[in-house]
Amino acid sequence: MSSAQIYRGHVFHIAGAPDVQTADHHLVSLPDGAVVVDDEGVIAWVGSAADLPEQYAALPVTTAGFLLPGFVDAHIHFPQTYSVGAYGGGQLLEWLENCIFPAEARLADPAFAEKIAADFIDRRLSVGTTAAMVFGSAFPVAQDALFSASLAAGLRTVSGRGIQTSGPPAAKPLMTSEAEAIELVAAEIECWHGRDVLVRPERSALVQVAIVPRFSLSTTTETLAALGELYEDVRDRGVYVHSHLSENNRPGTGEIAAVRATYDVEHYLDTYDGLFMPGSTRGGSSLLGRRTIMAHAVHCHDDELARLAAAEASIAHCPTSQLFLGSGTMPWRRTIDAGVTVAMGTDVGAGDEWLISRVLAAGYGVHMTEPGDAAVSIGPAELLFSGTLAGARALDQEQLFGNFDVGKEADLLLIDPERFPALDGAIAGGIRADDEDLAARQTLFALLNGLREPAISGVVVRGRRVR
Ligand code: GUN
Ligand code: ZN
């Protein structure tokens, strides 16, 4: 039986392949829009419902208030599913030791791992995160549970076990020897990278693997050298790299100071770029490439941003987390002007929101509050771009999803404002400009700001209703 479908509602998406600076010109708003999905889950047609071609007229129709592309979360910690709002922290390094390392140690227990994986996937379904770069657990049993649950749910997940070969006593349960770290990552790649494609080679992969050193303070020069070698071997197979970069800048005792002191490097990024020996001299291969996503990058030097851009690596921007941990504000204009793709990350559990549109709303306020001339009012189309298409680009899967361009796989959210009265009020009763284009942007802005979980009434990945 054919599973072809029409989805009908107010369509918003960023068409084509713009960058954030030009996203506004690519905003499509179709107040009575239709997205036709064929029985392979591919978008066959998009436009105003009044113009629907005759050939689709008999297909079943699902209607919602709004249709958005699925949200992409470019940085989220699966082992921290229960750690949102963990108290007893301080800034990054204290929070890791006091709250996070002990919480993550619990995933060694297979029953706990199974439960947290199921809950993590449920949360993603609730908030419409159709694709994510998932910072993984140290424990293979938990990674197996995560990938299995993700495949069963039909979500897109890139993940890898969090690698730690060095750290404070609280991190001990998460640490392995140098040799074991590499063996475990290699085994994870063999087991899970593109696993579903082995069964159905004609489809895109729903699960893929990343090499995930937790951050430079959890590794050694030996680890980074060995990971560089491994990456050289597997990068052509599309294996990813994911880590944290330049998050906490507390003078003297913060993360960045500690990285520079530990490795004696000029810039934090050097440690991921093969330049991890004293004086930023080369010690191995770079971990940077178009499938590399670095979370935070709050305090980068211009040279580091230029290097990320040249390598076509991306930044996962996590403003809710940066507020919670007092990490500071990633300079929006300076970062995007450097030409780096900036996608959005919840960074759960330092980030206290699972819903990407909440992270976008926080980002709006944070960047409006940047000092002096750096203050910027990010436009509605730029916000939508950052939470959808930029994420697909950061994952190097823009050809597959991220918007409603014909030929892409259908990842979409059905949103019904009446399921959440505050949103309903803002949509139905908010003031709108007479100018139609501005009014559409005002509606999109109200939608992204006011959206909460209850209003997400359905989630579709690759044309399949996953919720
Ligand atoms: N840096 C190293 N580990 C972590 C983590 O778990 N969360 C955040 N926000 N930063 C980190
Ligand atoms: Zn993080």
Side-chain angles (χ1 to χ4, degrees), residues 222-287:
E222 284 99 311
T223 319
L224 291 170
L227 292 179
E229 265 179 46
L230 176 64
Y231 186 45
E232 283 293 312
D233 288 345
V234 296
R235 64 189 292 166
D236 287 349
R237 290 165 58 190
V239 170
Y240 292 77
V241 172
H242 189 40
S243 194
H244 296 95
L245 172 69
S246 292
E247 177 178 3
N248 180 280
N249 198 26
R250 189 168 58 205
T253 54
E255 175 208 21
I256 297 172
V259 168
R260 294 183 62 197
T262 304
Y263 287 90
D264 187 16
V265 288
E266 189 180 355
H267 297 311
Y268 193 148
L269 185 65
D270 294 342
T271 58
Y272 300 128
D273 199 14
L275 306 171
F276 49 74
M277 296 308 280
S280 291
T281 52
R282 183 158 299 283
S285 300
S286 176
L287 294 173

Side-chain angles (χ1 to χ4, degrees), residues 191-466:
C191 183
W192 288 109
H193 187 64
R195 176 153 172 159
D196 47 319
V197 181
L198 298 177
V199 187
R200 292 199 58 185
E202 73 283 9
R203 311 274 347 218
S204 60
L206 287 178
V207 291
Q208 300 190 70
V209 174
I211 297 173
V212 184
R214 177 166 211 124
F215 63 162
S216 301
L217 294 179
S218 68
T219 60
T220 65
T221 53
E222 284 99 311
T223 319
L224 291 170
L227 292 179
E229 265 179 46
L230 176 64
Y231 186 45
E232 283 293 312
D233 288 345
V234 296
R235 64 189 292 166
D236 287 349
R237 290 165 58 190
V239 170
Y240 292 77
V241 172
H242 189 40
S243 194
H244 296 95
L245 172 69
S246 292
E247 177 178 3
N248 180 280
N249 198 26
R250 189 168 58 205
T253 54
E255 175 208 21
I256 297 172
V259 168
R260 294 183 62 197
T262 304
Y263 287 90
D264 187 16
V265 288
E266 189 180 355
H267 297 311
Y268 193 148
L269 185 65
D270 294 342
T271 58
Y272 300 128
D273 199 14
L275 306 171
F276 49 74
M277 296 308 280
S280 291
T281 52
R282 183 158 299 283
S285 300
S286 176
L287 294 173
L288 305 183
R290 61 185 292 138
R291 290 199 159 197
T292 301
I293 300 180
M294 288 290 156
H296 299 293
V298 175
H299 306 284
C300 282
H301 190 277
D302 283 345
D303 292 348
E304 292 173 288
L305 295 179
R307 178 67 190 114
L308 287 171
E312 296 182 278
S314 303
I315 291 171
H317 178 33
C318 312
T320 45
S321 161
Q322 288 146 20
L323 283 167
F324 181 75
L325 289 177
S327 304
T329 303
M330 187 198 82
W332 178 260
R333 278 265 164 260
R334 189 162 75 80
T335 307
I336 63 172
D337 286 349
V340 194
T341 297
V342 176
M344 302 308 289
T346 58
D347 199 18
V348 159
D352 56 357
E353 296 282 1
W354 288 79
L355 184 55
I356 279 293
S357 54
R358 297 307 304 139
V359 179
L360 292 168
Y364 180 85
V366 159
H367 297 298
M368 183 67 103
T369 313
E370 285 195 57
D373 289 348
V376 53
S377 165
I378 303 175
E382 292 160 84
L383 293 173
L384 180 62
F385 170 85
S386 301
T388 57
L389 194 58
R393 186 171 302 164
L395 288 172
D396 193 26
Q397 297 188 55
E398 187 179 2
Q399 73 286 6
L400 296 176
F401 59 89
N403 62 16
F404 296 145
D405 284 355
V406 168
K408 287 198 186 184
E409 298 178 354
D411 288 12
L412 59 88
L413 308 183
L414 310 176
I415 297 170
D416 283 305
E418 68 275 12
R419 294 164 58 115
F420 188 70
L423 174 62
D424 202 27
I427 295 294
I431 57 109
R432 298 290 180 265
D434 292 335
D435 177 84
E436 207 179 299
D437 287 345
L438 179 55
R441 283 156 180 76
Q442 290 172 327
T443 298
L444 175 60
F445 194 76
L447 178 63
L448 292 175
N449 264 272
L451 182 62
R452 299 292 186 279
E453 276 176 54
I456 300 178
S457 52
V459 180
V460 174
V461 177
R462 240 167 39 180
R464 183 182 149 218
R465 188 82 180 248
V466 296

